[in-house]
Amino acid sequence: MPATTDSSNCDREQIQFSGAIQPHGALLVLGETELRIQQASANSEAFLGLPPDALLGQGVARVLGKSASAELRERLAAHSLSAGLVHLMTVQPLAGTPACHLFGHRTADGHLLLEFDRLDEAARISAPDVYQSVHAALHRLQSAETLQAFFDHAVVEVRAITGFERVMAYRFAADGSGEVIAESLAAGLEPYLGLHYPAVDIPEPARRVCRLSWLRHLPDAGYHSVPLIPECHPETGAPVDLSRSFLRSVSRMYTGYLKNMGVKATLVTTLLKDGQLWGLISCMHHSAPRYLPFETRAAVECLAHMVSLLMGRKDAEDHYAYRLKLGEAREQLLDAMFQANAPHPALRAAEPNALSALDAEGVALLDKGELHRLGQTPAEADILALAEWLARRDGLWFASHELAEAYPPAASFQPLASGLLAVRWAPGSPDGLLWFRPEWRQVVHWAGDPNKPMEIDDSSGEARLMPRTSFELWKETVAGQSRPWLECEIEHAIELRHGIVDLILRHTEQLRRINRELAESNLELDTFAYAASHDLKEPLRGIHTSIEFLQEEDGPLLSSSGQGRLATVLRLTRRMDELIETLLQYSRVGRIDLRLEAVDLNELVVQTLELFEPLRKERATARMLGRLPVVECDRVRVGEIFTNLISNALKYNDREEKRVDIGCDASADPPVFFVRDNGIGIAVRQYARIFQIFRRLHPRDAYGGGTGAGLTITKKAIERHGGQIWLESVPGRGSTFFFTLAPPR
Ligand code: ADP
C-alpha cells in the first residue's frame, strides 16, 4: 500500500555504505601494510579467477603474482590515494582471466580499495583517436562566444565521444533544484531541454558524491548488485565507505528513477566552479545498457575538467560588457559627486542612467530621511518601512529575488518589486540606495511535481522511497520572484556604496574643518575687536577730558566759530565712544561662554516688558500670544534678544496705537519665537542689510536714533545658541521677526 512521506528521507539514505558493487568489475579491500585481502566482491572469480573464499586472508600476490604485486607496491607508494581513484596499472591475473585495469584509492576510514575493470583492447587501440577528438573539442569550446553556446557545443562533443543517445548539461539553482540548459540527443527521443528538476531528484548524498568524484558510470541500470564478502569490514565490523569507488552500487532510488525515465545506462560528470558544485553533464542511453571503457571515460573526465575551467571564464566574459557599463556609470556618478563637492545633491541630481545603469525597473535613494524615486518603485511609505527593516539587519548590503520570503510585508507590492538589491551607508541607518525588480511571472517546466510527496513502497516489508512514476510535464507559475541578481550587479552596488560613503566621509570632514577654521577666525576677530576698541577707549577718554578742560578754561577766549568746533569735537568723541561701546558689546557676545540653563521665557518676557517706558507713557500695547515654553538658553543673552526686538518694534512705528505681539510656534522643532509689530515695515531688498553692523535704513537721528548694531548683536546671540533669525515684513503694515534658539533637527 503506497504511503506518503517527506522527501528529505531520501537525503538520509547513505548510498556510500551499500556494501555492494555493480557487476562490471571486481573489488578487493586490503590491509595496508601486508596487502592482505580482507573483503572481496562476490563476483571475484569472473575477473580474478578465484572466489572470495579463496582470496580472503591471502596476500595480493595470490591474484597478481609476485612481480606484479611488487610493482603494485611501488605504485601505491608513488600515489596519494586519498584524494580519489587512481589508475595504477594494467594487470594479468594469474588464473588466466582477461587482463584488467587496476584502480586504487584509500577511503576516508583508512582502507585500501582495489578495483578491477576489464581491459578493452579495441578501446585501447582507438584511444589516440579519442584524445585527438578531445583536443579538437576543446578548441571548439574555447571559441564559443557565450556561455550558452559553450554548453551547446559541450553536449555535442561529449555525445560524439561517448556515443550516448542523450547528453545534457544540467545546472543547479541555489535551492538544489536544477535545469537542463543544453542537450544533444538521438533522433526520436523526447527532449528534456529547459526542464527543471526539483531538489529531491538529486538528494544531498548524491550531490556529495558528485563533489567527491568527477565521473560516475552506470553501464546497466537494470544490474543486480554484487555484495562484498564479508559485507562488513572484519576489523571495524562496519561497511567500508565506497564514496569514491568507481564500481559502487547506486541507490535503488536512482535506478528506479532511471527505469521510470526509460534509461538503461548513464555516465555523469561533475562541473565545479570555484570548488563548488555548479552542475553536471549527464549522459543517458535509452535503447540498451552501455558500457564505456576506461580510455573513453578518461577522455570524458578530462573534458569535464576543462569545461569546468573554461566555464568560469566564459561566465565572466558573458557579463563583461555589462560589467563595463556598470563600471562607467559608477565612475560618472562618483565623478559628478566629487566635482560638486557635495555628495547629496549630486546623488539626487544624477543623470537617471547613472543610478539605473543597473538592470532594474526602479531605484530609490533615501538620503537624510528624504526619499527620491526613479522608475517603477513601491509607494513611499512601503519603501520607508522596508528601509527601516533593512536598517535593523546586519550587513550593509542585501540582495533577494524573492523579497517577500525574507520580508513578508513585501507581498503587498510583489508585482512591482519581488526583487530587491540594497546598500546602506552606515550600520543602523536606513539611508542608502534600493533597486527594485518586478515579479517575473515565469513558467517553469518541472519534470515532475516538485510539491508532490514521494511514495513509499512497503510491499517488501521494508519501507523505502519510490521515485515518482509520472514525468508528465507540468507547469508551475512561480510567484513572488524576480530575475535573480547577478554577481556583477551585487558587486556594482557594493562598490558604488564604497565610493559614496568615501565621498560623504570626505565631505563631512571637509565641512567640519571649514567650520572649525571659521569658528577660530571668528573668535580671533572678536578678540581683535575687543582689544582694539578697549585700547581705543582710553585715548578717546583723554581727548574728551582735554577738550572739556579746554572748553571750560579757554573757551571764552575763543572766537564763536572756534567754540562751535570744540563743541563738534566733543559730540564726535561721544559718538565715537558709543560706537566703540557697541563694538565691545558685539565682540563680547562672540567671545564669552553661554551660561545655559532652563529659562521660563514667560517670566523673562514679562520682566523685559516692564523696562519699556513707552508702554507706560504712550498708547502702546505689547502682549504675549499664548504661553512661551521653558527652554535651555543663556538668560541674559535671550533677555537682550527680546529687549532689542521689542525696542525696534516700538521704535520703528509711527502709528497712533502701536502694537507688539510676542509668541511662539511650539509645534515646530525647535520652537519658533516671533516678535510682531504694526510699524513702518521693511522692504524685502533691505532684509540682509539690517543685520549688517552700523547699518541703519534712516538718517542717524530719525526714529530715536541708534548705532545700527542692535540686530547684528541679536543675530550673533541667536547663532551662538545654534538658532537662526529671519523676518517677514510689509512696508507700511508691519514686520515679524522670527527666531529659534537651537540647531535645526
Ligand atoms: P538701530 O535700531 O540701532 O538702528 P538695528 O540693528 O536694531 O539698529 O536695526 C537696523 C535697522 O533696521 C534700523 O535702523 C531700522 O531701519 C531697521 N529695523 C529694525 N527693526 C525694525 C522694525 N521692527 N521695523 C522696521 N524697521 C526696523
Side-chain angles (χ1 to χ4, degrees):
M1 192 187 78
T4 57
T5 186
D6 171 352
S7 62
S8 67
N9 280 4
C10 79
D11 274 0
R12 293 198 285 271
E13 194 184 340
Q14 299 219 308
I15 52 179
Q16 71 273 35
F17 295 115
S18 63
I21 60 166
Q22 297 175 52
H24 61 279
L27 185 142
L28 298 179
V29 181
L30 303 186
E32 179 89 39
T33 38
E34 295 175 23
L35 297 188
R36 212 163 276 289
I37 301 167
Q38 296 169 322
Q39 284 176 281
S41 57
N43 62 352
S44 62
E45 191 165 5
F47 289 84
L48 310 174
L50 293 168
D53 286 356
L55 292 172
L56 297 177
Q58 302 292 323
V60 74
R62 176 88 175 84
V63 178
L64 303 180
K66 276 211 173 91
S67 77
S69 55
E71 193 184 336
L72 174 63
R73 258 182 206 288
E74 276 174 34
R75 298 279 167 102
L76 289 177
H79 291 283
S80 155
L81 298 180
S82 308
L85 195 68
V86 172
H87 180 260
L88 293 167
M89 55 201 277
T90 53
V91 290
Q92 178 63 63
L94 280 184
T97 44
C100 289
H101 287 291
L102 176 55
F103 302 91
H105 72 110
R106 197 170 286 114
T107 63
D109 39 5
H111 305 300
L112 181 64
L113 263 60
L114 292 185
E115 298 187 52
F116 298 81
D117 180 21
R118 203 156 278 157
L119 194 131
D120 184 320
E121 208 45 54
R124 238 177 134 160
I125 293 165
S126 62
D129 296 340
V130 176
Y131 294 130
Q132 202 59 46
S133 46
V134 169
H135 199 266
L138 279 178
H139 191 72
R140 284 191 288 272
L141 282 176
Q142 267 172 316
S143 60
E145 291 202 339
T146 61
L147 193 67
Q148 184 58 51
F150 176 81
F151 278 108
D152 289 343
H153 283 312
V155 288
V156 170
E157 303 297 351
V158 173
R159 196 165 149 239
I161 293 169
T162 60
F164 269 78
E165 288 160 343
R166 179 195 300 276
V167 177
M168 300 177 285
Y170 184 83
R171 182 179 191 159
F172 288 110
D175 63 0
S177 70
E179 182 190 356
V180 179
I181 56 167
E183 184 179 40
S184 167
L185 74 169
L189 287 179
E190 181 203 346
Y192 293 167
L193 183 65
L195 291 191
H196 284 245
Y197 288 81
V200 288
D201 281 10
I202 304 190
E204 178 45 35
R207 284 198 289 271
R208 190 183 148 266
V209 169
C210 286
R211 284 189 287 268
L212 287 177
S213 67
W214 277 93
L215 187 129
R216 277 91 46 215
H217 185 26
L218 177 67
D220 181 2
Y223 76 95
H224 293 287
S225 67
V226 178
L228 295 188
I229 310 275
E231 210 171 314
C232 290
H233 192 270
E235 284 166 10
T236 61
V240 289
D241 180 354
L242 297 176
S243 301
R244 292 192 162 107
S245 160
F246 155 67
L247 292 170
R248 180 181 57 80
S249 188
V250 298
S251 110
R252 279 201 278 171
M253 167 78 197
Y254 182 49
T255 47
Y257 180 100
L258 293 175
K259 202 170 133 214
N260 290 342
M261 293 173 88
V263 174
K264 303 259 169 43
T266 64
L267 178 84
V268 182
T269 64
T270 300
L271 298 176
L272 295 178
K273 189 178 168 201
D274 303 327
Q276 300 295 316
L277 185 62
W278 184 94
L280 305 170
I281 289 187
S282 176
C283 309
M284 292 178 168
H285 214 62
H286 293 263
S287 58
R290 180 167 184 82
Y291 168 77
L292 273 197
F294 165 64
E295 287 76 6
T296 325
R297 291 195 318 259
V300 175
E301 187 175 328
C302 167
L303 201 60
H305 276 279
M306 290 313 196
V307 166
S308 284
L309 285 175
L310 291 175
M311 176 181 79
R313 218 181 68 198
K314 280 279 169 246
D315 200 17
E317 276 172 15
D318 233 14
H319 298 127
Y320 184 67
Y322 184 36
R323 243 176 227 278
L324 267 185
K325 184 177 133 198
L326 290 177
E328 275 166 20
R330 203 163 54 231
E331 227 166 85
Q332 186 189 332
L333 177 60
L334 293 177
D335 251 18
M337 289 174 64
F338 189 75
Q339 306 240 324
N341 202 16
H344 301 287
L347 198 55
R348 272 172 253 158
E351 290 275 301
N353 70 358
L355 285 180
S356 53
L358 200 145
D359 181 13
E361 292 303 310
V363 55
L365 164 68
L366 187 61
D367 180 26
K368 295 183 175 161
E370 259 182 69
L371 188 67
H372 307 268
R373 296 185 290 162
L374 265 179
Q376 246 186 57
T377 68
E380 189 157 335
D382 287 331
I383 300 182
L384 292 176
L386 173 63
E388 284 300 334
W389 173 76
L390 286 170
R392 288 193 298 274
R393 290 175 60 94
D394 289 339
L396 292 169
W397 66 272
F398 175 85
S400 167
H401 67 284
E402 40 191 358
L403 182 57
E405 284 280 308
Y407 176 66
S412 67
F413 51 82
Q414 201 161 276
L416 270 178
S418 287
L420 169 72
L421 173 58
V423 286
R424 291 183 299 112
W425 309 156
S429 152
D431 278 4
L433 279 164
L434 303 97
W435 288 269
F436 299 100
R437 251 181 201 167
E439 189 173 32
W440 186 33
R441 284 220 164 226
Q442 60 177 340
V443 174
V444 174
H445 303 276
W446 290 104
D449 181 346
N451 301 319
K452 191 173 161 197
M454 295 200 146
E455 291 173 348
I456 286 192
D457 169 23
D458 58 0
S459 56
S460 58
E462 167 203 7
R464 79 185 167 86
L465 286 167
M466 291 288 287
R468 285 182 300 276
T469 46
S470 160
F471 282 90
E472 197 184 313
L473 183 86
W474 74 286
K475 297 172 179 181
E476 185 195 31
T477 305
V478 173
Q481 290 192 7
S482 72
R483 263 178 309 118
W485 301 97
L486 297 173
E487 223 171 87
C488 63
E489 293 173 324
I490 298 175
E491 275 168 22
H492 165 74
I494 293 174
E495 277 187 33
L496 188 60
R497 179 199 164 266
H498 278 312
I500 292 174
V501 168
D502 202 41
L503 278 177
I504 293 177
L505 286 182
R506 221 185 291 178
H507 182 71
T508 316
E509 182 44 42
Q510 213 170 4
L511 278 183
R512 209 174 285 148
R513 209 188 59 238
I514 292 172
N515 277 339
R516 211 170 35 232
E517 285 171 4
L518 211 66
E520 277 166 15
S521 81
N522 274 347
L523 191 65
E524 266 171 37
L525 213 67
D526 289 340
T527 316
F528 170 76
Y530 176 78
S533 35
H534 188 264
D535 292 353
L536 284 175
K537 264 189 107 98
E538 207 182 282
L540 185 66
R541 211 172 296 126
I543 295 170
H544 189 79
T545 347
S546 303
I547 302 281
E548 270 179 342
F549 282 141
L550 188 65
Q551 204 177 30
E552 257 172 47
E553 290 166 11
D554 300 326
L557 303 178
L558 291 174
S559 64
S560 64
S561 73
Q563 284 180 6
R565 285 203 181 102
L566 269 191
T568 306
V569 174
L570 267 185
R571 192 167 43 78
L572 287 175
T573 52
R574 249 181 251 118
R575 173 93 183 134
M576 195 162 172
D577 187 57
E578 225 176 85
L579 290 176
I580 291 175
E581 191 52 47
T582 311
L583 256 183
L584 272 172
Q585 212 182 328
Y586 174 75
S587 70
R588 201 175 303 126
V589 177
R591 275 180 324 113
I592 54 162
D593 288 333
L594 293 183
R595 294 183 51 189
L596 295 179
E597 56 183 322
V599 178
D600 182 347
L601 294 183
N602 296 290
E603 231 173 71
L604 188 75
V605 171
V606 169
Q607 286 166 6
T608 308
L609 289 175
E610 281 168 6
L611 300 175
F612 283 96
E613 271 298 292
L615 290 177
R616 267 175 257 149
K617 284 200 207 141
E618 298 173 31
R619 299 181 69 184
T621 45
R623 50 183 188 155
M624 267 198 290
L625 301 181
R627 287 192 59 80
L628 301 183
V630 174
V631 293
E632 182 89 353
C633 62
D634 184 312
R635 176 188 295 276
V636 178
R637 298 281 89 80
V638 174
E640 284 167 2
I641 294 169
F642 277 109
T643 308
N644 223 313
L645 293 176
I646 296 168
S647 139
N648 280 351
L650 292 168
K651 222 161 84 174
Y652 301 104
N653 197 325
D654 41 19
R655 302 242 181 183
E656 282 284 294
E657 304 212 358
K658 305 182 202 312
R659 222 180 47 239
V660 185
D661 293 333
I662 299 143
C664 166
D665 175 5
S667 68
D669 190 14
V672 175
F673 303 96
F674 64 84
V675 176
R676 184 185 302 137
D677 62 54
N678 58 346
I680 59 170
I682 304 163
V684 175
R685 68 192 146 79
Q686 308 284 17
Y687 282 7
R689 287 188 68 189
I690 58 172
F691 293 106
Q692 288 170 6
I693 196 158
F694 303 139
R695 282 270 185 190
R696 304 198 76 226
L697 302 182
H698 316 280
R700 193 193 302 150
D701 296 324
Y703 294 103
T707 55
L711 281 178
T712 318
I713 294 172
T714 299
K715 181 167 183 268
K716 189 152 191 175
I718 286 172
E719 286 172 353
R720 288 285 324 259
H721 282 84
Q724 284 170 304
I725 180 165
W726 68 100
L727 70 145
E728 284 170 11
S729 180
V730 181
R733 304 268 297 271
S735 313
T736 310
F737 282 81
F738 299 92
F739 66 97
T740 55
L741 287 172
R745 292 204 221 284

